[in-house]
Amino acid sequence: MKLLAIETSCDETAVCILEANLENSATEGSAASFTVLGNKLLSQIDIHREYGGVYPMVAKREHAKHLLSLTYKALNDASLLDEEVQTLSPKMYMDVADLLVREEGMATELLTLAETLNPPDIDAIAVTAGPGLEPALWVGVNFAKALALLWNKPIVSVNHMEGHICAALAKIESSFTQENGTTAQELSIPKIELPLLSLLISGGHTELVVSRAWGEFELIGATRDDAVGEAFDKVARMLGLPYPGGPEVSKLAELARELGLSEESPLPRPMIHEQHCDFSFSGLKTSVLYRVKDLELTEEKKQSIAREFEDAAADVLYAKTKRAIEETGAMTVALGGGVSANTHIKRVFAKRLAEDFPDITLAIPAPILTTDNAIMIGLAGFYHAERSDFTDPDVLRADGNRKLAPK
Ligand code: KG4
Ligand code: ZN
């Protein structure tokens, strides 16, 4: 099966073409192999850095500006562009123009392209429908609807967090040069030993989700205030570091460890001993605020605060995950979302899990799959497409608060 996958939930515009093959039946398990035939990603980070954060309307504008050309390039890399003059019906022109009425210039560009191409040899279009920034999500969703209409393909509506889970479970096997000279990657997802516990940590999420059956999700813990990535970003701002703050805080913290710098008094580990799997990061963030207030922030001080903050965040994340493993009997633990790029958090999980639960498999995303990308949307979308779990384009909506699982 070949899928075109689209991701526009936040500040990355991403498109990929994924060829996928199931090794069992999708209802029985996860084992599948994948070839990434084309993959294009454009990060808006340089634009958002100037504003110190992601503005949804700026993100939306940038997605609309680039999505079509990235799609064209991904299809080209996958050798799926088949040029032939097309006659589109007047209704098609009207419907596509209607769908893309809010995406400036996109309808004209897309229709002009569609007049010259045969529908590509893909089986379905997978698109992130949430959670994320709603105006940004809508660009991808409306574009997917327009493609589905033009090319008569079904749509898979993908939950972004399910994408992060699949990214953690995927292994990059190898890469090879295609006939047209572009590089393709081979990926696989093994058969996952259940229950699977996923710790989803990003700018908008801090959640523990258990899958007792493949493709089913139950929320067993979530942040009651800030997401951990948000706390990283806010602490970064307090320390005078640029956006996005997570990697910057992490760099300083690693430096502090190398130099042996540490804080004299610890920061709090909120809710660490409470008898549930929920999180809270706003108290930790506020403690950093009090600590830096009225202080001359030397480089050393910044480094030691960053270290203590990161230690506190990692301790809480691990303690709650440990509790969740004990509650669920999880055999696989997956870390997903942007914060799972954090070196210290990865190290803490690898070390403590091996000590506390030597039989558990830890799945961490490869660096290129850690931050938002379209491959993960294709991976998650594939399992839905396999089950013919398609969404009627007429009812498909972007949903900024879409949940993976009800509480
Ligand atoms: O999943 P993601 O790319 O986008 C969202 O869906 O939110 O996650 C972005 C978040 C940001 O808060 C960013 O600061 C954080 O992930 N992040 C990190 C690191 N890399 C990214 N946080 C801590 N350490 C990192 N190395
Ligand atoms: Zn994400």
Side-chain angles (χ1 to χ4, degrees):
M1 177 192 302
K2 276 194 205 115
L3 288 156
L4 183 151
I6 300 167
E7 156 64 34
T8 65
S9 71
C10 189
D11 57 354
E12 324 276 351
T13 318
V15 181
C16 91
I17 313 290
L18 195 70
E19 185 163 16
N21 289 298
L22 203 62
E23 282 162 25
N24 291 308
S25 144
T27 48
E28 279 173 24
S30 48
S33 55
F34 304 88
T35 310
V36 182
L37 299 169
N39 183 37
K40 292 287 161 209
L41 184 143
L42 194 73
S43 171
Q44 304 170 0
I45 265 185
D46 290 340
I47 294 163
H48 297 299
R49 193 175 285 127
E50 285 176 33
Y51 301 96
V54 181
Y55 278 85
M57 295 315 283
V58 176
K60 173 196 148 89
R61 186 195 67 203
E62 290 301 307
H63 289 311
K65 209 192 285 179
H66 301 291
L67 191 49
L68 180 62
S69 71
L70 294 177
T71 304
Y72 182 87
K73 288 176 190 158
L75 286 167
N76 190 37
D77 283 0
S79 301
L80 290 176
L81 290 178
D82 180 14
E83 287 184 16
E84 190 173 303
V85 174
Q86 305 291 312
T87 312
L88 307 176
S89 68
K91 184 170 184 316
M92 187 71 88
Y93 283 96
M94 272 165 50
D95 288 349
V96 170
D98 267 358
L99 276 172
L100 297 175
V101 70
R102 287 165 201 269
E103 274 61 64
E104 213 181 310
M106 226 179 168
T108 315
E109 256 185 272
L110 175 58
L111 284 161
T112 309
L113 182 68
E115 285 165 351
T116 66
L117 290 180
N118 272 322
D121 174 22
I122 55 168
D123 299 285
I125 298 164
V127 63
T128 307
L133 305 171
E134 223 158 85
L137 287 163
W138 270 117
V139 180
V141 165
N142 284 333
F143 182 63
K145 287 188 192 191
L147 293 182
L149 187 71
L150 281 165
W151 295 339
N152 193 25
K153 306 288 178 189
I155 294 187
V156 188
S157 157
V158 178
N159 183 303
H160 182 82
M161 304 318 285
E162 191 175 347
H164 276 303
I165 295 175
C166 288
L169 301 175
K171 290 185 172 49
I172 299 177
E173 303 284 353
S174 58
S175 52
F176 65 92
T177 307
Q178 306 187 81
E179 266 174 38
N180 63 7
T182 61
T183 307
Q185 284 91 29
E186 301 277 11
L187 271 62
S188 72
I189 293 186
K191 185 160 172 47
I192 302 301
E193 215 182 328
L194 300 168
L196 160 69
L197 178 69
S198 304
L199 173 66
L200 299 170
I201 42 179
S202 71
H205 287 77
T206 309
E207 285 182 356
L208 279 161
V209 174
V210 67
S211 303
R212 296 180 209 276
W214 178 246
E216 288 177 13
F217 306 96
E218 185 192 332
L219 183 70
I220 55 167
T223 181
R224 295 190 181 173
D225 40 58
D226 292 356
V228 62
E230 197 181 345
F232 265 95
D233 293 335
K234 287 179 179 163
V235 166
R237 208 173 302 163
M238 295 172 203
L239 299 178
L241 305 170
Y243 178 87
E248 302 292 328
V249 171
S250 174
K251 267 186 236 161
L252 292 195
E254 286 293 299
L255 248 159
R257 288 185 194 98
E258 271 172 41
L259 301 171
L261 301 171
S262 56
E263 286 289 278
E264 274 168 26
S265 59
L267 287 166
R269 269 79 173 147
M271 292 188 179
I272 196 162
H273 297 301
E274 289 183 27
Q275 310 290 308
H276 54 68
C277 295
D278 283 351
F279 304 87
S280 164
F281 287 100
S282 86
L284 173 58
K285 171 196 74 187
T286 310
S287 302
V288 175
L289 186 65
Y290 281 125
R291 197 164 286 209
V292 301
K293 211 165 62 136
D294 309 323
L295 200 71
E296 184 78 42
L297 273 178
T298 61
E299 281 310 304
E300 286 77 14
K301 191 68 187 163
K302 284 187 199 174
Q303 289 157 6
S304 68
I305 291 176
R307 176 186 182 172
E308 179 55 26
F309 167 77
E310 198 178 61
D311 282 346
D315 284 350
V316 175
L317 291 172
Y318 183 73
K320 295 293 178 179
T321 304
K322 183 172 183 232
R323 166 172 288 279
I325 294 170
E326 286 159 357
E327 278 182 17
T328 60
M331 290 308 297
T332 307
V333 171
L335 299 191
V339 183
S340 67
N342 185 278
T343 310
H344 182 66
I345 294 172
K346 286 194 276 192
R347 202 165 43 213
V348 162
F349 271 73
K351 182 167 181 291
R352 296 188 198 167
L353 270 181
E355 286 164 6
D356 295 339
F357 307 97
D359 296 335
I360 284 183
T361 305
L362 173 63
I364 294 178
I368 64 151
L369 298 177
T370 304
T371 47
D372 293 347
N373 63 84
I375 297 175
M376 69 185 202
I377 302 309
L379 297 174
F382 163 67
Y383 293 103
H384 289 271
E386 253 319 300
R387 297 192 290 262
S388 299
D389 178 12
F390 299 115
T391 299
D392 175 355
D394 291 341
V395 300
L396 175 62
R397 300 183 57 79
D399 176 1
N401 293 313
R402 183 169 164 166
K403 301 275 181 279
L404 192 53
K407 176 95 178 168

